[in-house]
Amino acid sequence: MVKHVTQRRTGEPNARFSSALSRETNRKQMENVRACLTNVDQRLRDMDKMGVDVQAISPSPFHFMYWLEPDLARKMSRAVNEHLAGIVQAHPDRFVALRPRAVARRRRPRPRSWNTA
């Protein structure tokens, strides 16, 4: 849904403000933790192993995408929320969802001059 936007790297903060070393470190770290963060069956096994009955789940901050244009942000939020709802519906006794809202980008107000004369 947002691949075309992130590939352009126009507004994505991670692309704008991180170095090549940071991006590579993040990529390697995600390889190590991807399954436990994204695979529901793995998460349930880990919860059972740790004695956790119910867990609140939410998307990672990368999914918030506050930098998107409002219409696309709403679509992205809806897709993420529907996915979370599906996980909770499949395992209502194990998960509750904390869902993001689309936050519209606001234009910055023009700075006012301190000189009123």
Side-chain angles (χ1 to χ4, degrees):
M1 177 180 304
V2 295
K3 191 173 187 179
H4 67 285
V5 177
T6 58
Q7 285 178 339
R8 283 187 289 152
R9 305 275 188 194
T10 56
E12 183 185 9
N14 188 42
R16 290 175 49 208
F17 301 114
S18 64
S19 68
L21 176 60
S22 291
R23 289 189 298 275
E24 180 62 16
T25 301
N26 289 340
R27 187 191 65 75
K28 288 179 181 177
Q29 183 180 30
M30 185 51 81
E31 285 177 11
N32 293 331
V33 298
R34 185 178 311 278
C36 67
L37 295 177
T38 61
N39 184 297
V40 175
D41 293 329
Q42 178 66 51
R43 186 74 234 149
L44 289 167
R45 285 191 297 273
D46 291 344
M47 289 168 61
D48 290 341
K49 192 185 315 183
M50 294 183 284
V52 174
D53 295 326
V54 178
Q55 184 175 45
I57 57 173
S58 68
S60 72
F62 288 112
H63 288 98
F64 297 163
M65 298 192 183
Y66 295 126
W67 47 269
L68 290 175
E69 292 298 325
D71 288 341
L72 189 53
R74 278 189 292 280
K75 289 177 185 177
M76 180 67 181
S77 288
R78 181 176 298 262
V80 169
N81 290 342
E82 288 174 357
H83 182 69
L84 290 172
I87 294 170
V88 171
Q89 187 174 22
H91 307 279
D93 57 330
R94 301 302 305 270
F95 294 115
V96 295
L98 305 175
R99 302 179 309 177
R101 287 185 57 206
V103 176
R105 277 176 33 180
R106 294 190 178 137
R107 291 183 181 259
R108 291 183 185 168
R110 286 193 169 144
R112 288 191 219 177
S113 173
W114 288 100
N115 294 331
T116 57

